[in-house]
Amino acid sequence: MLQAYWYITKMRLITSLTYRFEVFASVGTNLILMLASVFLWKAAYGNGTEQVQALTLQDLTTYTILSIMLASVFVCDVQDTIYSKIREGQIVTDFYRPIPLLACYLADDIGGMLSSMVNKVIPLFIFAALFFGVPWPASPLSFLLFIPSCLLSYAILWLLSALIGLIAFWVMELGNMGMVKDSIVRVLSGSIVPLWFFPESIQTISKFLPFQYTYQTPLGIYIGNIGVREGLMAMGIQLIWVVLLYVLLAAGWRRSKSKTLIQGG
Amino acid sequence: MVNTIRHYFSVAACFARLAVQRQLEYPLFLFSWLLMIPIQYFSGIWMLKIIVDRFQPLNGWDFPELAFLYGLGLLSHGILVVLFINTWHIDNMVIQGAFDRLLLRPMNVFFQLIASYVNFIGLIDLIPGLIIFIYGCQLVGFEWTLGNIIKLLLVLLGGVLIRASLFISLGTIAFWTKRNASMVGFTLSMLERGTMYPLSIYPYVLQVIFTFIIPIGFISFYPAAEFLGKGSESFQLPLNFALATPAVGLVCFMLSQWIFRRGMKSYESAGS
């Protein structure tokens, strides 16, 4: 059973590693985003400012670098996969497979994630280390917490993405709804500017939304701004979101399967 | 001559009508852009406001000035997206053989390339651009004199030409490599970060590159500094930047046309 998934993951890993040129350009794009954000923080700290809300420039540099690396690891193509499979009618052959379809798509995305780790994160890390020094975690313990927190983040992001993908079953023409979701996530997850700097009211609202638990939680743990106890609690909330979204997806998936309409022939 | 121009106009109008019809075919697509583009750019300026509020002005640029700069950069981006978006897809046209079709018609190839897709969905990019720019103008107390308006229009023209030249040159690469989609994405993010934040926050080397080699500093940073009466701390170019931008734009555009023609000479069809 697991072998089947591993095969899908492996195939994706191999195909992603073939397109070298795309990889160079993607690393370049992420490098620009990284440089621009770090220099923005440098200008914001300017001359003399030591700490703002207990965060130093070094903290934010590390936060930014890690945030961009996470963004390239967290491959959530599932929304586009479902959409294009429905548009082109391939979803029907996928339904023939003797294993759950969503799990196949997850295996595919995990393959994408593994290849990103090899050919995107490593070069980005090297460049970041050359330009701004190695972005060390606050302590070994925070690194140990960071890893499981990242896995939970990915679970939240992937489930959100799959939920958006489900809409395609109902409307056929999804347009760029995935990109709409992505741009909301980018802001409210604290991936660009940590939510700690946002106005109070928005911080309060965001505690009840899943977004801040995708980027800010693991990154805050990594730079030590979220302590061990708070970190464990935040991970608990992450877990609650994962369960909640999973239940929602399972219910939605059962309904949409019966709605499947095959176009083309 | 008059007849030729009239002919070109009628062809462009026909292309535009087709493009509009094609884009209206998928309303949800339109709707999703209508949601996404404003979210993206308003949140971008909002992030800058949060940073400036919590910290300090960025290298002497306070929020009103940043809004002015951001809006100016976004306006020229919006115009580019409406008029020149086909330059992003040259590689696709080459691979699918659509480019051959342009070569067969008795018209200027570059004209056909541009005119065949007027991306009116790109007007959506102009909405946040206009709102942020006018808001910035209000905040900095921009004077709407005739002289300033003419300068502004010249800057926008120059900015669009600089952006277009970059994408035309990049698109030409596709004649040789058949693939450049990711280069387009790369250039887009470079343009965004280079034109919407003050150039002076970047290290000296990058400033030199963005002034003399890839002159994107002229799209918004230098003109904004000029309009707002800010001496740019790094370079004291003895120029009136509002006039420099269209000049730089024209030079770049001519250069890109030369590159485009060179590229066409070595074009080999990919179709079969």
Side-chain angles (χ1 to χ4, degrees):
Chain A
M1 187 69 174
L2 223 54
Q3 259 177 344
Y5 296 123
W6 172 240
Y7 181 74
I8 296 173
T9 304
K10 203 173 67 187
M11 285 329 275
R12 170 66 181 269
L13 184 63
I14 293 169
T15 32
S16 326
L17 288 175
T18 333
Y19 295 104
R20 299 258 170 69
F21 189 69
E22 301 287 313
V23 169
F24 285 133
S26 151
V27 168
T29 308
N30 282 314
L31 201 60
I32 284 194
L33 295 182
M34 186 192 279
L35 288 174
S37 310
V38 172
F39 287 120
L40 192 67
W41 289 120
K42 284 211 162 128
Y45 274 90
N47 28 12
T49 321
E50 282 282 301
Q51 281 197 345
V52 176
Q53 303 203 323
L55 289 168
T56 62
L57 176 58
Q58 185 55 50
D59 288 337
L60 279 175
T61 308
T62 308
Y63 187 100
T64 306
I65 293 170
L66 264 285
S67 167
I68 285 167
M69 296 203 305
L70 281 189
S72 52
V73 176
F74 289 162
V75 177
C76 292
D77 289 343
V78 57
Q79 62 198 26
D80 304 324
T81 312
I82 296 180
Y83 170 50
S84 68
K85 296 258 179 187
I86 287 183
R87 250 189 84 98
E88 282 158 31
Q90 287 172 0
I91 193 104
V92 66
T93 46
D94 282 7
F95 271 128
Y96 287 153
R97 291 183 189 169
I99 44 177
L101 197 48
L102 280 177
C104 290
Y105 295 155
L106 179 61
D108 191 48
D109 279 346
I110 289 174
M113 218 159 58
L114 291 179
S115 76
S116 292
M117 281 194 204
V118 177
N119 58 19
K120 291 184 187 161
V121 169
I122 292 175
L124 275 174
F125 184 84
I126 293 171
F127 278 118
L130 284 177
F131 287 133
F132 308 111
V134 179
W136 296 109
S139 65
L141 185 60
S142 53
F143 185 74
L144 281 181
L145 283 178
F146 170 73
I147 299 294
S149 177
C150 278
L151 292 178
L152 289 167
S153 295
Y154 180 68
I156 297 178
L157 283 171
W158 193 86
L159 289 167
L160 280 174
S161 181
L163 276 168
I164 292 284
L166 281 196
I167 302 177
F169 278 99
W170 310 81
V171 296
M172 294 305 261
E173 183 57 57
L174 189 56
N176 290 310
M177 279 310 172
M179 282 161 89
V180 175
K181 184 216 70 184
D182 289 344
S183 49
I184 294 173
V185 169
R186 211 168 299 136
V187 178
L188 290 182
S189 64
S191 71
I192 309 170
V193 174
L195 287 150
W196 304 309
F197 297 127
F198 281 43
E200 292 292 331
S201 52
I202 299 201
Q203 290 193 40
T204 317
I205 298 171
S206 123
K207 285 205 177 91
F208 299 98
L209 296 173
F211 306 116
Q212 75 169 59
Y213 303 103
T214 57
Y215 279 85
Q216 178 157 292
T217 299
L219 293 171
I221 292 174
Y222 190 88
I223 64 169
N225 197 45
I226 299 179
V228 176
R229 265 195 57 186
E230 288 166 286
L232 286 172
M233 226 161 77
M235 281 160 71
I237 302 176
Q238 284 186 309
L239 196 63
I240 294 174
W241 273 111
V242 171
V243 173
L244 217 73
L245 291 170
Y246 178 79
V247 171
L248 208 63
L249 179 68
W253 180 246
R254 218 172 312 120
R255 282 164 160 249
S256 5
K257 256 205 300 204
S258 57
K259 277 281 294 184
T260 313
L261 195 82
I262 304 301
Q263 64 173 3
Chain B
M1 182 68 190
V2 179
N3 271 337
T4 320
I5 292 175
R6 197 177 297 154
H7 177 55
Y8 270 69
F9 255 106
S10 69
V11 170
C14 184
F15 271 142
R17 208 181 60 232
L18 287 176
V20 169
Q21 283 171 348
R22 205 168 356 152
Q23 290 167 50
L24 280 178
E25 206 178 328
Y26 298 110
L28 203 62
F29 232 97
L30 202 65
F31 177 69
S32 61
W33 284 120
L34 205 58
L35 279 177
M36 189 189 73
I37 301 287
I39 291 177
Q40 193 182 342
Y41 290 115
F42 285 130
S43 65
I45 188 77
W46 186 43
M47 299 280 117
L48 282 181
K49 175 147 178 60
I50 289 172
I51 293 175
V52 173
D53 281 354
R54 292 280 163 151
F55 293 82
Q56 58 184 345
L58 304 173
N59 274 33
W61 288 69
D62 57 17
F63 179 69
E65 291 163 343
L66 286 173
F68 182 86
L69 173 73
Y70 194 94
L72 189 62
L74 193 47
L75 277 181
S76 63
H77 169 76
I79 301 172
L80 175 102
V81 170
V82 174
L83 295 178
F84 289 99
I85 200 159
N86 245 4
T87 54
W88 297 0
H89 307 307
I90 293 180
D91 65 333
N92 236 335
M93 299 180 77
V94 170
I95 290 176
Q96 298 187 346
F99 198 79
D100 297 358
R101 213 182 307 155
L102 305 189
L103 290 172
L104 288 173
R105 296 185 189 136
M107 268 189 137
N108 180 300
V109 175
F110 185 73
F111 168 83
Q112 292 183 59
L113 178 72
I114 298 310
S116 62
Y117 201 75
V118 179
N119 174 34
F120 93 110
I121 293 184
L123 291 175
I124 294 171
D125 287 64
L126 281 174
I127 299 169
L130 268 178
I131 293 174
I132 294 169
F133 184 68
I134 289 171
Y135 178 61
C137 286
Q138 288 290 324
L139 290 180
V140 296
F142 185 73
E143 287 172 38
W144 292 94
T145 58
L146 187 64
N148 268 349
I149 292 174
I150 293 174
K151 269 192 196 169
L152 192 64
L153 290 176
L154 282 174
V155 164
L156 282 178
L157 175 76
V160 173
L161 285 179
I162 295 173
R163 284 177 190 271
S165 325
L166 260 175
F167 287 116
I168 294 166
S169 315
L170 271 184
T172 308
I173 296 179
F175 290 143
W176 286 287
T177 64
K178 312 264 191 290
R179 189 163 282 279
N180 72 345
S182 39
M183 295 281 288
V184 170
F186 174 77
T187 310
L188 270 173
S189 46
M190 180 180 76
L191 278 168
E192 187 174 315
R193 303 291 145 156
T195 59
M196 292 177 186
Y197 299 164
L199 206 56
S200 51
I201 68 168
Y202 296 117
Y204 193 76
V205 190
L206 285 182
Q207 291 187 39
V208 172
I209 292 175
F210 288 155
T211 305
F212 297 109
I213 300 173
I214 311 171
I216 62 177
F218 290 95
I219 296 176
S220 63
F221 176 69
Y222 290 124
E226 168 82 13
F227 277 126
L228 301 171
K230 302 181 79 69
S232 76
E233 294 120 46
S234 30
F235 293 116
Q236 295 291 345
L237 297 182
L239 287 169
N240 185 341
F241 286 117
L243 291 177
T245 298
V248 171
L250 272 179
V251 170
C252 288
F253 195 71
M254 267 140 59
L255 203 66
S256 73
Q257 285 300 312
W258 178 76
I259 294 174
F260 187 75
R261 274 198 296 272
R262 284 284 315 250
M264 273 208 312
K265 276 199 191 116
S266 49
Y267 170 72
E268 308 167 342
S269 173
S272 51

